């Protein structure tokens, strides 16, 4: 059956774009799901509703990530290693939202993919690459949290700048290696039912390597680090008597939980689509369902700034201030900072990572 007849099943454009129908890439259009009406693509209603939701999530996500980046860049008291990691994650999110989600959104409104085959394939790869980069960020940040909380003496000796640079480079280089290969440009085919490109079955080993090195490995690293952190905290928290040590512990655990939430958002957003594709290999499930899980993925991708705002009081206060919603800084209790309280406020805002978890109770550090 011709691709023209297949597309007409969806009451959308009568023909595929020319770059999907010429002789060089015509084979790259899937025809296995074009045999009956049950396997047709998503309905127009699902595409329009999904597109509207994705548009709202896209605008909110871009605004939130840019806002978080601005306050982390401009506020001197937010200049620390943790916020450098946050800025790096925001950059990932902005690229993902600005390129990947925008193209998917546009394809939902148009009913067909709006660019050529190479861009279609790059979209597929970049989605996985940026997800892997974000997961490696959280995995390497988990190692950072482990060193800070559990091996604080060692943390004092290492170069913070060197480790920060290592995280920022490694978390991007490793995923990038998976798309720098000779087969790029011929690894995927256009799937009208999904209105996007998917990796061919011939590249199963590639897909497996991506799953292991970009998803499973950083996830295992994070889980093991978090288990070690919370075991150590549970063992040591009873001996804390000094208020500064308790404040330090609360702050570090809150930061650790924040990046844990970012990790969960990435997985919760990606897993439904990944699991569905693994089960429904012949793409027999309803096209509207694929729209729903794609929209869910897009909303999860846009939600990271909400986590930063909810779980980091300084970022939240700085965002409110820059928006004119809260004209003054706030202290740790949420009240305004007066001249009398600035000294104590500054003490809580300094880099407390140098406070050792295993220091003697009650001793000043």
């Amino acid at each position: 059956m011709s691709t023209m007849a297949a597309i007409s099943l969806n009451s959308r454009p009568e023909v595929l774009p020319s770059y999907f129908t010429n002789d060089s890439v015509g084979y790259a259009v899937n025809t296995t799901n074009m045999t009956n009406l049950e396997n047709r693509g998503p309905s127009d209603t699902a595409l329009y509703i999904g597109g509207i939701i994705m548009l709202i999530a896209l605008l909110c996500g871009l605004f939130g990530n840019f806002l978080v980046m601005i306050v982390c860049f401009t506020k001197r008291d937010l200049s620390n290693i943790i916020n450098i990691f946050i800025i790096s994650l925001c950059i990932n999110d902005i690229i993902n939202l600005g390129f990947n989600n925008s193209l998917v959104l546009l394809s939902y409104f148009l009913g067909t993919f709006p660019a050529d085959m190479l861009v279609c394939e790059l979209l597929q790869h970049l989605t996985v690459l940026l997800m892997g980069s974000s997961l490696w960020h959280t995995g390497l940040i988990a190692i950072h949290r482990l060193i800070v909380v559990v091996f604080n003496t060692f943390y004092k000796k290492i170069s913070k700048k060197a480790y920060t640079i290592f995280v920022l480079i490694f978390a991007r280089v490793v995923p990038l290696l998976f798309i720098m290969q000779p087969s790029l440009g011929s690894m995927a085919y256009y799937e009208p039912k999904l209105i996007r490109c998917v990796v061919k079955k011939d590249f199963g080993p590639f897909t497996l390597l991506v799953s292991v090195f970009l998803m499973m490995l950083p996830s295992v690293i994070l889980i093991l680090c978090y288990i070690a952190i919370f075991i150590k905290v549970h063992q040591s928290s009873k001996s804390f008597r000094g208020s500064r040590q308790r404040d330090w512990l609360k702050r570090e655990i809150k930061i650790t939980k924040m990046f844990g939430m970012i990790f969960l958002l990435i997985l919760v957003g990606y897993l439904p689509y990944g699991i569905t594709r693994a089960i429904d290999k012949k793409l027999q499930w309803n096209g509207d369902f694929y729209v729903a899980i794609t929209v869910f993925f897009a909303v999860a991708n846009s939600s990271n700034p909400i986590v930063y705002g909810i779980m980091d009081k300084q970022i939240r206060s700085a965002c409110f201030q820059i928006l004119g919603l809260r004209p003054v800084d706030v202290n740790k209790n949420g009240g305004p900072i007066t001249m009398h309280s600035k000294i104590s406020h500054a003490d809580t805002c300094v880099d407390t990572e140098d406070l050792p978890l295993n220091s003697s109770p009650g001793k000043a550090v």
Side-chain angles (χ1 to χ4, degrees):
M1 184 177 292
S2 68
T3 56
M4 182 184 299
I7 296 302
S8 66
L9 295 176
N10 291 318
S11 70
R12 283 183 287 279
E14 293 296 321
V15 293
L16 285 169
S18 60
Y19 36 75
F20 289 125
T21 56
N22 61 46
D23 292 338
S24 63
V25 297
Y27 71 91
V29 180
N30 183 28
T31 58
T32 59
N33 296 308
M34 301 180 178
T35 56
N36 56 64
L37 292 175
E38 293 181 356
N39 286 330
R40 65 180 183 269
S43 65
D44 290 334
T45 301
L47 290 177
Y48 293 146
I49 293 176
I52 291 171
I53 296 174
M54 286 186 67
L55 178 60
I56 296 171
L58 174 69
L59 295 176
C60 292
L62 287 174
F63 175 78
N65 278 289
F66 275 116
L67 181 62
V68 170
M69 284 183 60
I70 289 171
V71 300
C72 289
F73 271 123
T74 58
K75 298 293 183 179
R76 181 173 298 180
D77 57 344
L78 294 178
S79 299
N80 55 52
I81 295 175
I82 296 303
N83 289 334
I84 291 175
F85 293 151
I86 289 177
I87 290 172
S88 184
L89 283 167
C90 285
I91 293 173
N92 273 13
D93 289 340
I94 289 170
I95 296 173
N96 192 33
L97 293 171
F99 182 74
N100 294 0
N101 285 23
S102 295
L103 284 176
V104 173
L105 166 67
L106 189 57
S107 69
Y108 278 8
F109 282 127
L110 296 177
T112 187
F113 194 76
D116 60 21
M117 188 66 195
L118 179 60
V119 176
C120 187
E121 180 172 327
L122 281 175
L123 176 68
Q124 170 67 22
H125 293 316
L126 281 175
T127 301
V128 177
L129 184 150
L130 291 169
M131 178 208 64
S133 177
S134 294
L135 283 175
W136 268 111
H137 269 80
T138 59
L140 294 173
I141 292 169
I143 295 176
H144 174 265
R145 308 311 308 152
L146 177 71
I147 297 173
V148 170
V149 176
V150 180
F151 305 105
N152 195 266
T153 303
F154 173 71
Y155 181 74
K156 294 178 183 178
K157 299 177 181 179
I158 66 173
S159 170
K160 282 70 172 179
K161 183 178 180 180
Y163 186 79
T164 302
I165 294 174
F166 167 76
V167 171
L168 300 182
I169 294 177
F170 186 89
R172 286 182 169 82
V173 169
V174 171
L176 191 61
L177 293 176
F178 284 87
I179 64 171
M180 296 177 61
Q181 52 181 301
S183 300
L184 185 64
S186 61
M187 297 177 62
Y189 63 87
Y190 180 70
E191 174 52 65
K193 184 170 185 177
L194 303 180
I195 319 181
R196 66 172 62 190
C197 286
V198 295
V199 177
K200 297 176 183 177
K201 294 180 180 180
D202 297 343
F203 293 92
F206 169 81
T207 303
L208 178 61
L209 286 174
V210 167
S211 300
V212 171
F213 286 98
L214 297 190
M215 291 186 62
M216 297 181 186
L217 186 56
S219 299
V220 170
I221 290 173
L222 182 140
I223 292 170
L224 292 177
C225 287
Y226 274 41
I227 290 174
I229 289 170
F230 286 107
I231 288 176
K232 186 65 176 180
V233 167
H234 178 73
Q235 293 174 345
S236 305
S237 59
K238 295 180 181 179
S239 64
F240 281 5
R241 296 178 183 176
S243 61
R244 194 177 183 190
Q245 286 179 321
R246 287 196 298 270
D247 289 342
W248 172 82
L249 179 62
K250 290 179 181 178
R251 177 180 181 272
E252 299 305 325
I253 292 301
K254 183 174 288 188
I255 292 171
T256 303
K257 289 180 178 178
M258 178 178 68
F259 286 112
M261 284 297 299
I262 297 300
F263 165 76
L264 288 177
L265 267 180
I266 298 170
L267 285 189
V268 167
Y270 180 79
L271 282 180
Y273 188 87
I275 292 174
T276 299
R277 286 288 291 113
I279 297 174
D280 185 29
K281 293 181 179 180
K282 295 183 179 180
L283 294 175
Q284 295 179 338
W285 292 10
N286 189 284
D288 290 356
F289 178 73
Y290 278 101
V291 172
I293 58 178
T294 300
V295 170
F296 181 76
F297 181 38
V299 172
N301 282 342
S302 306
S303 302
N304 286 352
I306 298 175
V307 176
Y308 303 139
I310 291 176
M311 303 195 71
D312 191 307
K313 188 177 295 184
Q314 285 183 288
I315 290 179
R316 181 172 69 250
S317 300
C319 289
F320 284 153
Q321 184 177 358
I322 204 171
L323 293 174
L325 300 177
R326 183 175 298 178
V328 295
D329 292 330
V330 296
N331 58 30
K332 64 182 180 179
N333 296 318
I337 296 178
T338 63
M339 291 298 294
H340 179 72
S341 62
K342 277 187 177 181
I343 296 177
S344 59
H345 173 71
D347 184 62
T348 63
C349 291
V350 296
D351 187 3
T352 56
E353 291 179 346
D354 287 338
L355 290 173
L357 185 64
N358 297 322
S359 61
S360 301
K363 285 187 178 181
V365 179

